[in-house]
């Protein structure tokens, strides 16, 4: 992870770089993070910079052997500790070393945008209380008494250190106070009130501020180049500087828009079919392709799609029976609904019944490819 790819304010990066250039790196730092911060990325970027063989004034080189190892989080002087618990594969005495492959994989897959909730999902430890435990603390202390592998810094990153098991913490105090050799400890947490004051008092505080709306918009634009400016702006405003949240909102939106498009294509095809329009207008192959996409996405998506049809039918009913003021849809949806003004109360009631039957069959684990094909012709039958 290079500084250039870390999503925090440039000022903060500069502040950390200055520490390095002026040889006044505090050997124990506490990164006070905010939800959705790129705090873990920042910690790794700092570690990578310290170990890089050809750093520039502003960043690690990204290509030297040390940087290459960092890109896989496998540098021998990088030690990562994180809340852990027994899992399906680690049945007893879990610790951060045993679970390191899973954690590194998790970090890289999520592009360093990691949250405790997502990590809990990986651990399948929802009912457990993962912690940085007593074995982790012993490992840190033992490691710290050894020389670094590459002759430079040994860096210890303790992620979500608020989950440091309290009775294990005193073991660490001496190491934090008088670390061996060139060591850097970076403790990361969003919850300083849950950390022992004796730990906090031994670290230098580095506050990682929320992203501004502008920084968040730039980051979203970089991640999703197709997204339009208005959408970016709307998402940034409601995301409160939280990149993970912004991305989630965008992805949910994108899924929703895709399903609306499928509804549009399906209904347009059904109307063309009912009115015996030419085959290319019916375009049934396209409908089948779109159904195929939904079927592949699993039962929850399939149900969500039928529920979307039901919601659109309710709004169609309002629109077509003189209660347009009760229609609650987005601009995109409104444009689609206006194409189907000739559907009347009887049509829509029958269609609603068919959708409810389809939902019932999906819930009963029916063959969904068949259910959607069937639904198409049933809906057409309702309009005839
Ligand atoms: Zn390098």
């Amino acid at each position: 992870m290079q500084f250039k790819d870390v999503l925090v304010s440039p000022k903060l990066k500069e502040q950390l770089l200055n520490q390095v250039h002026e040889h006044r790196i505090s050997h124990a730092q506490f990164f006070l993070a905010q939800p959705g911060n790129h705090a873990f990325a920042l910690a790794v970027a700092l570690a990578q910079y310290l170990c890089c063989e050809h750093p520039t004034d502003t960043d690690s080189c990204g290509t030297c052997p040390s940087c290459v190892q960092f890109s896989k989080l496998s540098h021998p002087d990088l030690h990562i500790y994180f809340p852990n618990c027994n899992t399906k594969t680690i049945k007893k005495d879990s610790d951060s070393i045993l679970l390191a492959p899973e954690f590194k994989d998790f970090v890289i897959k999520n592009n360093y945008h990691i949250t405790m909730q997502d990590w809990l999902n990986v651990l399948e430890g929802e009912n457990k209380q993962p912690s940085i435990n007593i074995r982790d603390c012993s490992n840190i202390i033992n490691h710290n008494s050894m020389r670094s592998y590459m002759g430079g810094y040994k860096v210890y990153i303790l992620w979500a250190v608020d989950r440091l098991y309290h009775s294990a913490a005193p073991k660490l105090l001496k190491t934090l106070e008088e670390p061996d050799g060139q060591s850097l400890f970076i403790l990361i947490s969003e919850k300083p009130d849950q950390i022992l004051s004796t730990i906090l008092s031994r670290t230098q505080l580095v506050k990682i501020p929320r992203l501004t709306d502008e920084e968040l918009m730039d980051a979203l634009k970089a991640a999703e180049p197709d997204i339009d400016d208005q959408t970016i702006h709307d998402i940034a405003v409601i995301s409160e500087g939280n990149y993970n949240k912004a991305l989630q909102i965008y992805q949910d939106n994108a899924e929703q828009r895709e399903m609306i498009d499928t509804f549009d294509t399906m209904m347009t095809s059904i109307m063309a079919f009912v009115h015996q329009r030419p085959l290319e207008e019916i375009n049934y192959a396209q409908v089948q392709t779109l159904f195929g996409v939904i079927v592949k996405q699993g039962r929850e998506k399939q149900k969500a799609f039928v529920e979307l049809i039901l919601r659109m039918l309710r709004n169609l009913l309002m629109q077509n029976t003189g209660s347009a003021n009760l229609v609650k849809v987005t601009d995109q949806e409104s444009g689609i609904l206006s194409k189907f003004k000739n559907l009347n109360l009887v049509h829509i009631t029958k269609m609603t019944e068919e959708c409810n039957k389809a939902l019932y069959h999906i819930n009963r684990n029916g063959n969904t490819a068949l259910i959607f094909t069937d639904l198409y012709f049933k809906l057409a039958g309702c309009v005839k």
Side-chain angles (χ1 to χ4, degrees):
M1 174 57 62
Q2 291 180 273
F3 279 118
K4 71 176 174 58
D5 296 320
V6 180
L7 206 59
V8 297
S9 77
K11 220 171 124 190
L12 180 58
K13 293 181 198 175
E14 202 183 303
Q15 183 190 323
L16 290 176
L17 285 163
N18 283 342
Q19 272 190 27
V20 181
H21 298 149
E22 293 163 13
H23 305 288
R24 49 177 183 81
I25 305 173
S26 167
H27 64 258
Q29 311 204 7
F30 175 57
F31 281 17
L32 174 55
Q34 305 279 342
N37 261 170
H38 223 182
F40 188 80
L42 186 65
V44 176
L46 177 59
Q48 180 167 337
Y49 188 70
L50 287 171
C51 296
C52 176
E53 291 164 27
H54 310 291
T56 67
D57 282 349
T58 54
D59 216 334
S60 48
C61 74
T63 52
C64 70
S66 166
C67 281
V68 170
Q69 286 176 316
F70 263 96
S71 71
K72 295 177 245 161
L73 295 172
S74 61
H75 192 284
D77 290 318
L78 173 68
H79 307 284
I80 303 172
Y81 291 84
F82 47 84
N84 61 80
C85 60
N86 292 338
T87 62
K88 274 183 195 149
T89 45
I90 311 294
K91 299 232 189 279
K92 64 177 251 204
D93 294 344
S94 73
D95 66 29
S96 296
I97 295 175
L98 288 171
L99 277 158
E102 281 87 347
F103 187 78
K104 289 172 184 176
D105 195 43
F106 162 70
V107 170
I108 290 168
K109 264 194 196 147
N110 288 288
N111 222 348
Y112 290 69
H113 292 289
I114 54 175
T115 67
M116 197 59 208
Q117 188 52 50
D118 290 341
W119 175 233
L120 285 175
N121 290 342
V122 174
L123 288 174
E124 297 183 336
E126 277 152 61
N127 302 317
K128 300 174 194 163
Q129 285 293 324
S131 65
I132 299 177
N133 58 42
I134 208 134
R135 288 178 295 281
D136 290 316
C137 290
S138 301
N139 288 336
I140 292 171
I141 294 162
N142 290 341
H143 251 125
N144 196 240
S145 64
M146 292 190 268
R147 294 161 65 97
S148 82
Y149 286 92
M150 310 299 275
Y153 266 93
K154 292 180 284 189
V155 183
Y156 300 80
I157 299 177
L158 280 66
W159 180 67
V161 75
D162 44 278
R163 284 176 179 260
L164 174 65
Y165 190 59
H166 275 200
S167 63
K171 286 189 86 151
L172 270 188
L173 294 179
K174 192 170 171 305
T175 307
L176 282 179
E177 202 149 64
E178 298 163 7
D180 202 69
Q182 272 190 307
S183 299
L184 170 62
F185 282 85
I186 303 175
L187 282 52
I188 305 174
S189 170
E190 294 167 8
K191 299 171 181 166
D193 53 319
Q194 292 175 27
I195 302 173
L196 290 179
S197 58
T198 44
I199 296 265
L200 286 184
S201 66
R202 282 163 173 82
T203 58
Q204 179 183 304
L205 177 66
V206 178
K207 279 189 190 169
I208 305 182
R210 281 183 194 284
L211 292 177
T212 62
D213 286 355
E214 285 70 29
E215 285 164 345
L216 189 59
M217 286 195 280
D218 287 346
L220 276 179
K221 189 88 196 163
E224 303 284 349
D226 296 338
I227 190 170
D228 64 273
D229 289 347
Q230 184 59 44
T231 310
I232 286 196
H233 178 264
D234 293 348
I235 294 175
V237 169
I238 55 176
S239 305
E240 302 170 309
N242 184 332
Y243 179 79
N244 289 336
K245 193 168 160 184
L247 214 53
Q248 190 62 51
I249 293 171
Y250 174 66
Q251 281 159 357
D252 288 351
N253 263 344
E255 268 175 23
Q256 191 69 12
R257 278 197 302 271
E258 249 169 51
M259 287 204 289
I260 297 281
D261 284 341
T262 301
F263 171 81
D264 185 14
T265 308
M266 178 190 81
M267 285 299 293
T268 306
S269 168
I270 286 175
M271 299 310 278
F273 175 69
V274 171
H275 294 110
Q276 298 178 340
R277 308 290 306 165
L279 280 179
E280 61 268 24
E281 270 185 51
I282 297 173
N283 199 3
Y284 183 66
Q286 173 66 6
V287 176
Q288 276 297 330
T289 307
L290 292 172
F291 282 167
V293 173
I294 292 175
V295 167
K296 256 195 216 141
Q297 288 174 329
R299 244 161 250 282
E300 289 311 309
K301 287 282 152 60
Q302 296 156 11
K303 280 195 263 178
F305 178 60
V306 181
E307 270 152 17
L308 177 133
I309 304 178
L310 283 166
R311 179 171 69 80
M312 296 299 273
L313 289 174
R314 276 196 299 279
N315 281 296
L316 260 182
L317 189 63
M318 300 297 169
Q319 172 192 279
N320 297 356
T321 55
S323 309
N325 56 326
L326 295 176
V327 173
K328 283 200 172 49
V329 291
T330 65
D331 287 352
Q332 182 205 13
E333 292 168 349
S334 166
I336 293 168
L337 290 189
S338 66
K339 294 200 259 177
F340 308 110
K341 285 197 167 138
N342 50 354
L343 291 176
N344 63 31
L345 176 65
V346 177
H347 296 143
I348 296 173
T349 310
K350 282 187 186 166
M351 291 168 94
T352 302
E353 278 170 22
E354 291 304 335
C355 287
N356 281 325
K357 280 186 207 161
L359 262 187
Y360 172 82
H361 290 301
I362 294 172
N363 277 324
R364 298 281 297 252
N365 294 334
N367 176 330
T368 42
L370 285 182
I371 293 171
F372 279 114
T373 303
D374 189 46
L375 180 63
Y376 175 94
F377 290 106
K378 290 272 171 58
L379 292 178
C382 297
V383 183
K384 246 181 186 153

